[in-house]
Amino acid sequence: MTTISRTGKGGRAAPAPALLRTAAELDALPRPAGAERAVVMTMGALHEGHAALVRAARAAAGRDGQVVVTVFVNPLQFGEAADLDRYPRTLDADLEIAAAAGADAVFAPGVDEVYPGGEPQVRISAGPMGERLEGAARPGHFDGMLTVVAKLLHLTRPDEAFYGQKDAQQLALIRRMVRDLNFGVRVTGVPVVRDADGLALSSRNRFLSAEERRSALALPRALFAARDRLAAQQALHERARATAPGGDRAAGLNRLGEARAAADAQAVALVRPGGAPAAVRAAARSVLDEAAARNRPPLALDYLALVDPADFTEIPDDRESGEAVLAVAARVGDTRLIDNIPLTFGALT
């Protein structure tokens, strides 16, 4: 067991977190009496997004609680050996970030420690949800992810586990596994953390050249355009309803002096029920199509999907209310990136 230092509030040294390498060391880690243990699972190459997870776990566990960060590059999640070999390993830097964010312990086992008998013969199946979107693009990825998450939950035995919403499908599958298989743990999602230019933080961003990063910015721009389209539409609906209590929205728009908007084919589609999902998809698709045509290097779109966060099935065009996730994946050069944004239909956002 190794310890590293971290700096607390006011620059004062905080208690050093333990670096644990084996399941036996983890099992020997004393649990906080009368308080909770929170866990943050990572594959290393930590950045500010991971730090946000650790800080959220620290806040939830409280001063007397315990925060354990796991760092493990799971080979079961990689379809090709080249991708596994390319994944960055930066444990020394990871320890510093975890310590500064408030971790009490870092569990960084080797592959032989997690899979002592080689690749496990019994694995968790992600089911139909695991075959959609990311699952279709990366067959077997979610089975491998759930298998190691289940194993790490058993090893760390937390009261609450924190995961980033950037990997929205992963988060949905973990929540489903915990519910379906009666894991005694709360699962909490933490919002996407973005750089100043809007790009979602990812360990893979380091592989982007300056030109590739400019192309990749089409992903958040597409999501923000869809969010803004929905917000504008719903604000327009609210104004129309306020002006036309009887439900004639087009007439309400006309009374507001927006006859041109009401007559416009796109606006009419937005005003009538069933237009919102189509408008959201169209707004995002427009940005991505332009990026694919103009950006160099080009953006190669894998998918753009507006899905139900519960099971990641596509939202129908007649959906008038409820939660949704707009998810996108694309390749820029040799780097594949994903991003998403949560949306709420039927309410001002």
Side-chain angles (χ1 to χ4, degrees):
M1 181 183 297
T2 306
T3 59
I4 56 175
S5 63
R6 71 171 186 245
T7 301
K9 293 182 179 179
R12 296 187 301 273
L19 172 58
L20 313 173
R21 291 292 198 170
T22 68
E25 289 178 342
L26 179 62
D27 191 56
L29 181 69
R31 294 185 69 91
E36 293 196 339
R37 174 183 286 180
V39 68
V40 174
M41 295 183 188
T42 81
M43 289 208 299
L46 302 191
H47 48 65
E48 178 57 26
H50 297 105
L53 289 171
V54 179
R55 288 194 293 268
R58 178 81 271 161
R63 182 175 181 177
D64 297 327
Q66 187 179 73
V67 175
V68 177
V69 175
T70 69
V71 175
F72 178 65
V73 182
N74 180 29
L76 301 187
Q77 292 176 229
F78 292 82
E80 299 180 7
D83 289 338
L84 175 62
D85 293 339
R86 187 180 184 225
Y87 196 87
R89 276 86 165 169
T90 58
L91 183 58
D92 289 343
D94 295 344
L95 294 173
E96 293 181 4
I97 292 172
D104 295 300
V106 175
F107 179 49
V111 174
D112 291 342
E113 183 68 24
V114 177
Y115 304 121
E119 290 196 3
Q121 298 299 302
V122 176
R123 307 188 187 194
I124 301 290
S125 170
M129 196 195 327
E131 298 171 358
R132 300 171 187 139
L133 301 186
E134 283 301 292
R138 305 166 68 186
H141 166 75
F142 285 128
D143 290 357
M145 179 275 295
L146 289 179
T147 297
V148 80
V149 167
K151 190 154 193 172
L152 289 173
L153 286 175
H154 288 314
L155 288 169
T156 58
R157 294 176 287 119
D159 299 286
E160 188 169 8
F162 291 77
Y163 303 92
Q165 291 179 355
K166 187 181 81 69
D167 297 297
Q169 191 172 3
Q170 169 180 286
L171 176 58
L173 281 162
I174 292 171
R175 282 176 166 152
R176 190 61 187 249
M177 177 185 73
V178 165
R179 182 171 66 251
D180 286 356
L181 301 184
N182 298 100
F183 281 70
V185 61
R186 301 189 303 278
V187 174
T188 298
V190 176
V192 177
V193 178
R194 300 183 181 277
D195 255 328
D197 58 8
L199 193 66
L201 294 185
S202 169
S203 302
R204 298 178 186 273
N205 290 355
R206 69 188 66 200
F207 299 132
L208 297 171
S209 68
E211 294 78 13
E212 289 171 341
R213 187 180 179 98
R214 283 194 288 271
S215 294
L217 291 178
L219 298 184
R221 284 202 302 267
L223 298 177
F224 298 157
R227 177 198 61 192
D228 293 346
R229 173 69 64 84
L230 179 61
Q233 171 209 331
Q234 293 181 156
L236 192 63
H237 283 182
E238 288 298 314
R239 293 166 63 194
R241 278 194 289 268
T243 307
D248 188 346
R249 296 179 184 177
L253 291 171
N254 279 320
R255 291 192 188 96
L256 289 168
E258 301 183 63
R260 181 175 180 181
D264 181 81
Q266 179 69 10
V268 169
L270 295 178
V271 167
R272 69 172 183 264
V280 163
R281 291 184 178 98
R285 176 71 66 173
S286 176
V287 173
L288 294 170
D289 287 347
E290 182 178 2
R294 296 188 179 184
N295 289 4
R296 293 293 177 271
L299 185 79
L301 183 65
D302 189 344
Y303 62 75
L304 173 70
L306 183 65
V307 297
D308 187 321
D311 59 10
F312 271 65
T313 56
E314 284 281 348
I315 296 289
D317 282 345
D318 61 357
R319 173 70 60 86
E320 295 186 48
S321 63
E323 303 298 318
V325 170
L326 183 63
V328 63
R331 187 173 292 277
V332 185
D334 294 329
T335 304
R336 187 174 182 275
L337 300 173
I338 63 172
D339 201 350
N340 71 85
I341 194 168
L343 298 171
T344 302
F345 291 96
L348 288 175
T349 57

mmCIF file of all heavy atoms in Angstrom, residues 283-328:
data_model
loop_
_atom_site.group_PDB
_atom_site.id
_atom_site.type_symbol
_atom_site.label_atom_id
_atom_site.label_comp_id
_atom_site.label_asym_id
_atom_site.label_seq_id
_atom_site.Cartn_x
_atom_site.Cartn_y
_atom_site.Cartn_z
ATOM 1 N N ALA A 283 -32.071 20.111 -36.743
ATOM 2 C CA ALA A 283 -31.134 21.159 -36.344
ATOM 3 C C ALA A 283 -29.734 20.597 -36.164
ATOM 4 O O ALA A 283 -28.737 21.187 -36.604
ATOM 5 C CB ALA A 283 -31.619 21.830 -35.069
ATOM 6 N N ALA A 284 -29.634 19.450 -35.510
ATOM 7 C CA ALA A 284 -28.328 18.835 -35.304
ATOM 8 C C ALA A 284 -27.747 18.316 -36.612
ATOM 9 O O ALA A 284 -26.558 18.501 -36.902
ATOM 10 C CB ALA A 284 -28.447 17.696 -34.294
ATOM 11 N N ARG A 285 -28.585 17.687 -37.412
ATOM 12 C CA ARG A 285 -28.120 17.114 -38.676
ATOM 13 C C ARG A 285 -27.574 18.191 -39.604
ATOM 14 O O ARG A 285 -26.575 17.979 -40.300
ATOM 15 C CB ARG A 285 -29.274 16.374 -39.353
ATOM 16 C CG ARG A 285 -28.951 15.803 -40.717
ATOM 17 C CD ARG A 285 -28.015 14.636 -40.670
ATOM 18 N NE ARG A 285 -28.610 13.488 -40.028
ATOM 19 C CZ ARG A 285 -28.020 12.297 -39.980
ATOM 20 N NH1 ARG A 285 -26.823 12.130 -40.525
ATOM 21 N NH2 ARG A 285 -28.597 11.295 -39.357
ATOM 22 N N SER A 286 -28.188 19.362 -39.603
ATOM 23 C CA SER A 286 -27.737 20.454 -40.459
ATOM 24 C C SER A 286 -26.299 20.848 -40.136
ATOM 25 O O SER A 286 -25.471 21.045 -41.027
ATOM 26 C CB SER A 286 -28.674 21.655 -40.306
ATOM 27 O OG SER A 286 -28.212 22.752 -41.062
ATOM 28 N N VAL A 287 -25.982 20.958 -38.848
ATOM 29 C CA VAL A 287 -24.628 21.322 -38.434
ATOM 30 C C VAL A 287 -23.639 20.224 -38.827
ATOM 31 O O VAL A 287 -22.545 20.501 -39.344
ATOM 32 C CB VAL A 287 -24.578 21.571 -36.917
ATOM 33 C CG1 VAL A 287 -23.148 21.784 -36.448
ATOM 34 C CG2 VAL A 287 -25.455 22.760 -36.547
ATOM 35 N N LEU A 288 -24.013 18.974 -38.624
ATOM 36 C CA LEU A 288 -23.115 17.863 -38.920
ATOM 37 C C LEU A 288 -22.895 17.694 -40.416
ATOM 38 O O LEU A 288 -21.775 17.408 -40.864
ATOM 39 C CB LEU A 288 -23.675 16.572 -38.322
ATOM 40 C CG LEU A 288 -23.727 16.527 -36.795
ATOM 41 C CD1 LEU A 288 -24.509 15.312 -36.317
ATOM 42 C CD2 LEU A 288 -22.329 16.536 -36.195
ATOM 43 N N ASP A 289 -23.946 17.877 -41.210
ATOM 44 C CA ASP A 289 -23.804 17.767 -42.660
ATOM 45 C C ASP A 289 -22.870 18.842 -43.195
ATOM 46 O O ASP A 289 -22.036 18.585 -44.073
ATOM 47 C CB ASP A 289 -25.175 17.878 -43.342
ATOM 48 C CG ASP A 289 -26.030 16.631 -43.147
ATOM 49 O OD1 ASP A 289 -25.480 15.602 -42.705
ATOM 50 O OD2 ASP A 289 -27.236 16.688 -43.438
ATOM 51 N N GLU A 290 -22.998 20.047 -42.673
ATOM 52 C CA GLU A 290 -22.120 21.128 -43.112
ATOM 53 C C GLU A 290 -20.671 20.838 -42.730
ATOM 54 O O GLU A 290 -19.747 21.064 -43.507
ATOM 55 C CB GLU A 290 -22.564 22.452 -42.495
ATOM 56 C CG GLU A 290 -21.718 23.639 -42.939
ATOM 57 C CD GLU A 290 -22.199 24.943 -42.362
ATOM 58 O OE1 GLU A 290 -23.164 24.940 -41.574
ATOM 59 O OE2 GLU A 290 -21.601 25.985 -42.690
ATOM 60 N N ALA A 291 -20.476 20.302 -41.527
ATOM 61 C CA ALA A 291 -19.122 19.973 -41.080
ATOM 62 C C ALA A 291 -18.507 18.872 -41.940
ATOM 63 O O ALA A 291 -17.321 18.917 -42.277
ATOM 64 C CB ALA A 291 -19.143 19.550 -39.621
ATOM 65 N N ALA A 292 -19.322 17.889 -42.290
ATOM 66 C CA ALA A 292 -18.820 16.793 -43.114
ATOM 67 C C ALA A 292 -18.410 17.282 -44.496
ATOM 68 O O ALA A 292 -17.457 16.777 -45.099
ATOM 69 C CB ALA A 292 -19.883 15.703 -43.231
ATOM 70 N N ALA A 293 -19.128 18.284 -44.995
ATOM 71 C CA ALA A 293 -18.857 18.782 -46.344
ATOM 72 C C ALA A 293 -17.686 19.763 -46.376
ATOM 73 O O ALA A 293 -16.916 19.790 -47.343
ATOM 74 C CB ALA A 293 -20.107 19.458 -46.896
ATOM 75 N N ARG A 294 -17.529 20.560 -45.303
ATOM 76 C CA ARG A 294 -16.579 21.667 -45.363
ATOM 77 C C ARG A 294 -15.312 21.465 -44.548
ATOM 78 O O ARG A 294 -14.257 21.996 -44.894
ATOM 79 C CB ARG A 294 -17.265 22.954 -44.885
ATOM 80 C CG ARG A 294 -18.415 23.395 -45.780
ATOM 81 C CD ARG A 294 -18.912 24.773 -45.343
ATOM 82 N NE ARG A 294 -20.003 25.240 -46.191
ATOM 83 C CZ ARG A 294 -20.569 26.437 -46.079
ATOM 84 N NH1 ARG A 294 -20.159 27.274 -45.138
ATOM 85 N NH2 ARG A 294 -21.548 26.790 -46.898
ATOM 86 N N ASN A 295 -15.396 20.752 -43.448
ATOM 87 C CA ASN A 295 -14.238 20.667 -42.560
ATOM 88 C C ASN A 295 -13.140 19.783 -43.129
ATOM 89 O O ASN A 295 -13.409 18.777 -43.792
ATOM 90 C CB ASN A 295 -14.667 20.116 -41.193
ATOM 91 C CG ASN A 295 -15.500 21.108 -40.409
ATOM 92 O OD1 ASN A 295 -15.835 22.183 -40.892
ATOM 93 N ND2 ASN A 295 -15.835 20.736 -39.182
ATOM 94 N N ARG A 296 -11.918 20.170 -42.866
ATOM 95 C CA ARG A 296 -10.755 19.382 -43.233
ATOM 96 C C ARG A 296 -9.834 19.290 -42.029
ATOM 97 O O ARG A 296 -9.373 20.311 -41.543
ATOM 98 C CB ARG A 296 -10.033 20.009 -44.424
ATOM 99 C CG ARG A 296 -10.827 19.968 -45.718
ATOM 100 C CD ARG A 296 -11.001 18.521 -46.203
ATOM 101 N NE ARG A 296 -11.819 18.442 -47.415
ATOM 102 C CZ ARG A 296 -13.139 18.328 -47.427
ATOM 103 N NH1 ARG A 296 -13.802 18.267 -46.278
ATOM 104 N NH2 ARG A 296 -13.803 18.257 -48.557
ATOM 105 N N PRO A 297 -9.602 18.072 -41.535
ATOM 106 C CA PRO A 297 -10.104 16.802 -42.051
ATOM 107 C C PRO A 297 -11.607 16.669 -41.837
ATOM 108 O O PRO A 297 -12.158 17.306 -40.935
ATOM 109 C CB PRO A 297 -9.342 15.762 -41.230
ATOM 110 C CG PRO A 297 -9.030 16.472 -39.951
ATOM 111 C CD PRO A 297 -8.778 17.903 -40.321
ATOM 112 N N PRO A 298 -12.265 15.862 -42.667
ATOM 113 C CA PRO A 298 -13.724 15.759 -42.563
ATOM 114 C C PRO A 298 -14.169 15.024 -41.308
ATOM 115 O O PRO A 298 -13.412 14.243 -40.719
ATOM 116 C CB PRO A 298 -14.108 14.984 -43.817
ATOM 117 C CG PRO A 298 -12.897 14.171 -44.135
ATOM 118 C CD PRO A 298 -11.722 15.024 -43.748
ATOM 119 N N LEU A 299 -15.407 15.298 -40.933
ATOM 120 C CA LEU A 299 -16.036 14.597 -39.816
ATOM 121 C C LEU A 299 -16.820 13.420 -40.379
ATOM 122 O O LEU A 299 -17.715 13.609 -41.205
ATOM 123 C CB LEU A 299 -16.974 15.561 -39.088
ATOM 124 C CG LEU A 299 -17.657 15.059 -37.816
ATOM 125 C CD1 LEU A 299 -16.682 15.113 -36.652
ATOM 126 C CD2 LEU A 299 -18.875 15.925 -37.503
ATOM 127 N N ALA A 300 -16.485 12.214 -39.976
ATOM 128 C CA ALA A 300 -17.181 11.016 -40.447
ATOM 129 C C ALA A 300 -18.203 10.595 -39.396
ATOM 130 O O ALA A 300 -17.845 10.027 -38.358
ATOM 131 C CB ALA A 300 -16.194 9.890 -40.714
ATOM 132 N N LEU A 301 -19.479 10.876 -39.669
ATOM 133 C CA LEU A 301 -20.531 10.601 -38.691
ATOM 134 C C LEU A 301 -20.802 9.112 -38.582
ATOM 135 O O LEU A 301 -20.960 8.423 -39.581
ATOM 136 C CB LEU A 301 -21.810 11.339 -39.095
ATOM 137 C CG LEU A 301 -23.001 11.217 -38.139
ATOM 138 C CD1 LEU A 301 -22.696 11.875 -36.807
ATOM 139 C CD2 LEU A 301 -24.258 11.831 -38.765
ATOM 140 N N ASP A 302 -20.854 8.634 -37.357
ATOM 141 C CA ASP A 302 -21.237 7.250 -37.086
ATOM 142 C C ASP A 302 -22.747 7.178 -36.867
ATOM 143 O O ASP A 302 -23.446 6.409 -37.514
ATOM 144 C CB ASP A 302 -20.481 6.734 -35.866
ATOM 145 C CG ASP A 302 -20.652 5.234 -35.657
ATOM 146 O OD1 ASP A 302 -21.573 4.655 -36.256
ATOM 147 O OD2 ASP A 302 -19.885 4.647 -34.872
ATOM 148 N N TYR A 303 -23.256 7.980 -35.938
ATOM 149 C CA TYR A 303 -24.700 8.037 -35.732
ATOM 150 C C TYR A 303 -25.090 9.349 -35.076
ATOM 151 O O TYR A 303 -24.289 10.000 -34.411
ATOM 152 C CB TYR A 303 -25.203 6.857 -34.890
ATOM 153 C CG TYR A 303 -24.650 6.773 -33.485
ATOM 154 C CD1 TYR A 303 -25.085 7.630 -32.466
ATOM 155 C CD2 TYR A 303 -23.692 5.820 -33.161
ATOM 156 C CE1 TYR A 303 -24.580 7.546 -31.189
ATOM 157 C CE2 TYR A 303 -23.171 5.728 -31.873
ATOM 158 C CZ TYR A 303 -23.624 6.584 -30.893
ATOM 159 O OH TYR A 303 -23.121 6.517 -29.620
ATOM 160 N N LEU A 304 -26.323 9.739 -35.308
ATOM 161 C CA LEU A 304 -26.999 10.806 -34.579
ATOM 162 C C LEU A 304 -28.336 10.219 -34.175
ATOM 163 O O LEU A 304 -29.106 9.781 -35.035
ATOM 164 C CB LEU A 304 -27.204 12.040 -35.455
ATOM 165 C CG LEU A 304 -28.057 13.154 -34.832
ATOM 166 C CD1 LEU A 304 -27.325 13.831 -33.678
ATOM 167 C CD2 LEU A 304 -28.452 14.191 -35.889
ATOM 168 N N ALA A 305 -28.634 10.157 -32.894
ATOM 169 C CA ALA A 305 -29.833 9.472 -32.428
ATOM 170 C C ALA A 305 -30.486 10.243 -31.291
ATOM 171 O O ALA A 305 -29.796 10.706 -30.374
ATOM 172 C CB ALA A 305 -29.495 8.053 -31.976
ATOM 173 N N LEU A 306 -31.798 10.361 -31.362
ATOM 174 C CA LEU A 306 -32.593 10.952 -30.285
ATOM 175 C C LEU A 306 -33.312 9.804 -29.604
ATOM 176 O O LEU A 306 -34.198 9.169 -30.194
ATOM 177 C CB LEU A 306 -33.595 11.956 -30.864
ATOM 178 C CG LEU A 306 -34.461 12.709 -29.850
ATOM 179 C CD1 LEU A 306 -33.610 13.611 -28.965
ATOM 180 C CD2 LEU A 306 -35.532 13.521 -30.564
ATOM 181 N N VAL A 307 -32.911 9.510 -28.357
ATOM 182 C CA VAL A 307 -33.332 8.260 -27.743
ATOM 183 C C VAL A 307 -33.937 8.475 -26.362
ATOM 184 O O VAL A 307 -33.722 9.492 -25.704
ATOM 185 C CB VAL A 307 -32.139 7.284 -27.623
ATOM 186 C CG1 VAL A 307 -31.608 6.923 -29.002
ATOM 187 C CG2 VAL A 307 -31.029 7.870 -26.755
ATOM 188 N N ASP A 308 -34.697 7.460 -25.950
ATOM 189 C CA ASP A 308 -35.242 7.402 -24.597
ATOM 190 C C ASP A 308 -34.104 7.019 -23.651
ATOM 191 O O ASP A 308 -33.436 5.995 -23.866
ATOM 192 C CB ASP A 308 -36.352 6.352 -24.556
ATOM 193 C CG ASP A 308 -37.112 6.331 -23.235
ATOM 194 O OD1 ASP A 308 -36.466 6.492 -22.177
ATOM 195 O OD2 ASP A 308 -38.339 6.146 -23.259
ATOM 196 N N PRO A 309 -33.837 7.799 -22.599
ATOM 197 C CA PRO A 309 -32.725 7.476 -21.711
ATOM 198 C C PRO A 309 -32.894 6.178 -20.937
ATOM 199 O O PRO A 309 -31.930 5.655 -20.378
ATOM 200 C CB PRO A 309 -32.661 8.683 -20.764
ATOM 201 C CG PRO A 309 -34.029 9.283 -20.810
ATOM 202 C CD PRO A 309 -34.534 9.040 -22.197
ATOM 203 N N ALA A 310 -34.103 5.636 -20.891
ATOM 204 C CA ALA A 310 -34.334 4.398 -20.139
ATOM 205 C C ALA A 310 -33.832 3.170 -20.883
ATOM 206 O O ALA A 310 -33.337 2.221 -20.266
ATOM 207 C CB ALA A 310 -35.818 4.241 -19.822
ATOM 208 N N ASP A 311 -33.960 3.160 -22.227
ATOM 209 C CA ASP A 311 -33.583 1.961 -22.974
ATOM 210 C C ASP A 311 -32.856 2.250 -24.283
ATOM 211 O O ASP A 311 -32.517 1.344 -25.017
ATOM 212 C CB ASP A 311 -34.812 1.095 -23.256
ATOM 213 C CG ASP A 311 -35.882 1.829 -24.047
ATOM 214 O OD1 ASP A 311 -35.621 2.950 -24.546
ATOM 215 O OD2 ASP A 311 -37.004 1.286 -24.159
ATOM 216 N N PHE A 312 -32.657 3.527 -24.598
ATOM 217 C CA PHE A 312 -31.940 3.965 -25.792
ATOM 218 C C PHE A 312 -32.614 3.532 -27.089
ATOM 219 O O PHE A 312 -31.968 3.331 -28.108
ATOM 220 C CB PHE A 312 -30.468 3.549 -25.735
ATOM 221 C CG PHE A 312 -29.630 4.608 -25.065
ATOM 222 C CD1 PHE A 312 -29.826 4.907 -23.717
ATOM 223 C CD2 PHE A 312 -28.690 5.326 -25.771
ATOM 224 C CE1 PHE A 312 -29.089 5.904 -23.090
ATOM 225 C CE2 PHE A 312 -27.956 6.322 -25.158
ATOM 226 C CZ PHE A 312 -28.153 6.622 -23.821
ATOM 227 N N THR A 313 -33.929 3.420 -27.070
ATOM 228 C CA THR A 313 -34.695 3.281 -28.305
ATOM 229 C C THR A 313 -35.009 4.670 -28.839
ATOM 230 O O THR A 313 -35.093 5.642 -28.093
ATOM 231 C CB THR A 313 -36.003 2.513 -28.058
ATOM 232 O OG1 THR A 313 -36.759 3.186 -27.023
ATOM 233 C CG2 THR A 313 -35.730 1.081 -27.637
ATOM 234 N N GLU A 314 -35.197 4.762 -30.158
ATOM 235 C CA GLU A 314 -35.442 6.054 -30.795
ATOM 236 C C GLU A 314 -36.763 6.665 -30.322
ATOM 237 O O GLU A 314 -37.767 5.973 -30.152
ATOM 238 C CB GLU A 314 -35.478 5.898 -32.307
ATOM 239 C CG GLU A 314 -34.110 5.738 -32.950
ATOM 240 C CD GLU A 314 -33.373 7.067 -33.095
ATOM 241 O OE1 GLU A 314 -34.008 8.128 -32.915
ATOM 242 O OE2 GLU A 314 -32.168 7.035 -33.402
ATOM 243 N N ILE A 315 -36.724 7.984 -30.108
ATOM 244 C CA ILE A 315 -37.920 8.745 -29.755
ATOM 245 C C ILE A 315 -38.779 8.916 -31.006
ATOM 246 O O ILE A 315 -38.275 9.351 -32.050
ATOM 247 C CB ILE A 315 -37.536 10.136 -29.201
ATOM 248 C CG1 ILE A 315 -36.766 10.012 -27.894
ATOM 249 C CG2 ILE A 315 -38.760 11.026 -29.039
ATOM 250 C CD1 ILE A 315 -37.580 9.555 -26.717
ATOM 251 N N PRO A 316 -40.070 8.587 -30.969
ATOM 252 C CA PRO A 316 -40.917 8.783 -32.148
ATOM 253 C C PRO A 316 -41.190 10.261 -32.408
ATOM 254 O O PRO A 316 -41.117 11.092 -31.502
ATOM 255 C CB PRO A 316 -42.205 8.035 -31.779
ATOM 256 C CG PRO A 316 -42.242 8.058 -30.287
ATOM 257 C CD PRO A 316 -40.811 7.986 -29.840
ATOM 258 N N ASP A 317 -41.511 10.576 -33.643
ATOM 259 C CA ASP A 317 -41.758 11.966 -34.010
ATOM 260 C C ASP A 317 -43.003 12.548 -33.361
ATOM 261 O O ASP A 317 -43.169 13.767 -33.336
ATOM 262 C CB ASP A 317 -41.869 12.097 -35.537
ATOM 263 C CG ASP A 317 -40.499 12.090 -36.205
ATOM 264 O OD1 ASP A 317 -39.493 12.278 -35.496
ATOM 265 O OD2 ASP A 317 -40.447 11.883 -37.436
ATOM 266 N N ASP A 318 -43.892 11.705 -32.853
ATOM 267 C CA ASP A 318 -45.107 12.232 -32.219
ATOM 268 C C ASP A 318 -44.942 12.398 -30.705
ATOM 269 O O ASP A 318 -45.913 12.676 -30.009
ATOM 270 C CB ASP A 318 -46.307 11.337 -32.521
ATOM 271 C CG ASP A 318 -46.125 9.912 -32.004
ATOM 272 O OD1 ASP A 318 -45.047 9.603 -31.457
ATOM 273 O OD2 ASP A 318 -47.068 9.110 -32.170
ATOM 274 N N ARG A 319 -43.728 12.255 -30.198
ATOM 275 C CA ARG A 319 -43.491 12.445 -28.767
ATOM 276 C C ARG A 319 -43.726 13.919 -28.408
ATOM 277 O O ARG A 319 -43.137 14.806 -29.006
ATOM 278 C CB ARG A 319 -42.073 12.025 -28.395
ATOM 279 C CG ARG A 319 -41.658 12.325 -26.950
ATOM 280 C CD ARG A 319 -42.374 11.438 -25.944
ATOM 281 N NE ARG A 319 -42.108 10.034 -26.145
ATOM 282 C CZ ARG A 319 -41.045 9.398 -25.631
ATOM 283 N NH1 ARG A 319 -40.167 10.053 -24.907
ATOM 284 N NH2 ARG A 319 -40.882 8.116 -25.862
ATOM 285 N N GLU A 320 -44.575 14.169 -27.433
ATOM 286 C CA GLU A 320 -44.890 15.536 -27.035
ATOM 287 C C GLU A 320 -44.304 15.903 -25.682
ATOM 288 O O GLU A 320 -44.209 17.096 -25.354
ATOM 289 C CB GLU A 320 -46.410 15.742 -26.998
ATOM 290 C CG GLU A 320 -47.079 15.622 -28.355
ATOM 291 C CD GLU A 320 -48.554 15.966 -28.282
ATOM 292 O OE1 GLU A 320 -48.902 17.001 -27.696
ATOM 293 O OE2 GLU A 320 -49.361 15.180 -28.796
ATOM 294 N N SER A 321 -43.923 14.917 -24.871
ATOM 295 C CA SER A 321 -43.391 15.227 -23.552
ATOM 296 C C SER A 321 -42.467 14.110 -23.107
ATOM 297 O O SER A 321 -42.491 13.000 -23.643
ATOM 298 C CB SER A 321 -44.527 15.406 -22.536
ATOM 299 O OG SER A 321 -45.257 14.197 -22.389
ATOM 300 N N GLY A 322 -41.651 14.427 -22.130
ATOM 301 C CA GLY A 322 -40.778 13.414 -21.554
ATOM 302 C C GLY A 322 -39.304 13.709 -21.785
ATOM 303 O O GLY A 322 -38.921 14.652 -22.481
ATOM 304 N N GLU A 323 -38.469 12.862 -21.187
ATOM 305 C CA GLU A 323 -37.018 13.027 -21.259
ATOM 306 C C GLU A 323 -36.457 12.338 -22.494
ATOM 307 O O GLU A 323 -37.016 11.353 -22.985
ATOM 308 C CB GLU A 323 -36.357 12.435 -20.009
ATOM 309 C CG GLU A 323 -36.851 13.021 -18.690
ATOM 310 C CD GLU A 323 -36.573 14.502 -18.584
ATOM 311 O OE1 GLU A 323 -35.457 14.924 -18.966
ATOM 312 O OE2 GLU A 323 -37.466 15.238 -18.128
ATOM 313 N N ALA A 324 -35.346 12.860 -22.973
ATOM 314 C CA ALA A 324 -34.670 12.279 -24.130
ATOM 315 C C ALA A 324 -33.179 12.574 -24.032
ATOM 316 O O ALA A 324 -32.747 13.453 -23.284
ATOM 317 C CB ALA A 324 -35.238 12.837 -25.434
ATOM 318 N N VAL A 325 -32.411 11.820 -24.797
ATOM 319 C CA VAL A 325 -30.979 12.064 -24.944
ATOM 320 C C VAL A 325 -30.683 12.159 -26.433
ATOM 321 O O VAL A 325 -31.071 11.267 -27.206
ATOM 322 C CB VAL A 325 -30.136 10.928 -24.320
ATOM 323 C CG1 VAL A 325 -28.663 11.088 -24.690
ATOM 324 C CG2 VAL A 325 -30.289 10.927 -22.807
ATOM 325 N N LEU A 326 -30.047 13.241 -26.841
ATOM 326 C CA LEU A 326 -29.574 13.368 -28.211
ATOM 327 C C LEU A 326 -28.102 12.974 -28.202
ATOM 328 O O LEU A 326 -27.270 13.637 -27.578
ATOM 329 C CB LEU A 326 -29.746 14.798 -28.721
ATOM 330 C CG LEU A 326 -29.337 15.033 -30.178
ATOM 331 C CD1 LEU A 326 -30.209 14.213 -31.122
ATOM 332 C CD2 LEU A 326 -29.402 16.508 -30.534
ATOM 333 N N ALA A 327 -27.787 11.858 -28.857
ATOM 334 C CA ALA A 327 -26.441 11.286 -28.814
ATOM 335 C C ALA A 327 -25.821 11.312 -30.201
ATOM 336 O O ALA A 327 -26.504 11.118 -31.212
ATOM 337 C CB ALA A 327 -26.497 9.849 -28.293
ATOM 338 N N VAL A 328 -24.505 11.521 -30.238
ATOM 339 C CA VAL A 328 -23.795 11.573 -31.511
ATOM 340 C C VAL A 328 -22.447 10.892 -31.346
ATOM 341 O O VAL A 328 -21.840 10.916 -30.266
ATOM 342 C CB VAL A 328 -23.619 13.049 -31.979
ATOM 343 C CG1 VAL A 328 -22.758 13.837 -30.995
ATOM 344 C CG2 VAL A 328 -23.059 13.118 -33.380
#
